Amino acid sequence: MKNDGFTFRKRLRSFRYAFNGIRLLITKEHNAWIHCFAAVCVVIAGVLLGLSRMEWVAVVIVIGAVLAAEAVNSALEAIADFVSPEYSEAIKRTKDLAAGAVLLMAIAAAIVGGIIFFPKLIALC
């Protein structure tokens, strides 16, 4: 990859590519739809339950981390399928590891959600 130096036009173009990646994630990746639905539910619950500033920080970080992990997983799967359209044990292992990373992040996000939301829900009872 050739490095032609820094220009603002190139930086703006890179943002356009990044936003297109987010658009592709949200419009084309079925698993991302599930994560987005969960994120919307969490945000609504957070508003209704009055999360503190630090609780919002934690929620935003884990939502972003899960979506970023899903984007990396989707990109890895796309390139793996392109490079090796036929079955390959190495490609399967790679894709399974990437999917496992998303699952680990989703589990961590659920734990953070439990730590934040369970006490608030119990207090309502």
Side-chain angles (χ1 to χ4, degrees), residues 41-62:
C41 291
V42 166
V43 169
I44 290 169
V47 169
L48 294 175
L49 294 171
L51 296 186
S52 72
R53 180 175 293 184
M54 290 311 296
E55 290 168 332
W56 276 116
V57 167
V59 166
V60 168
I61 288 171
V62 296

Side-chain angles (χ1 to χ4, degrees), residues 17-30 32-33:
Y17 298 144
F19 281 115
N20 187 54
I22 293 169
R23 182 189 63 77
L24 289 171
L25 177 69
I26 293 170
T27 61
K28 304 289 186 189
E29 299 299 325
H30 297 164
W33 298 351

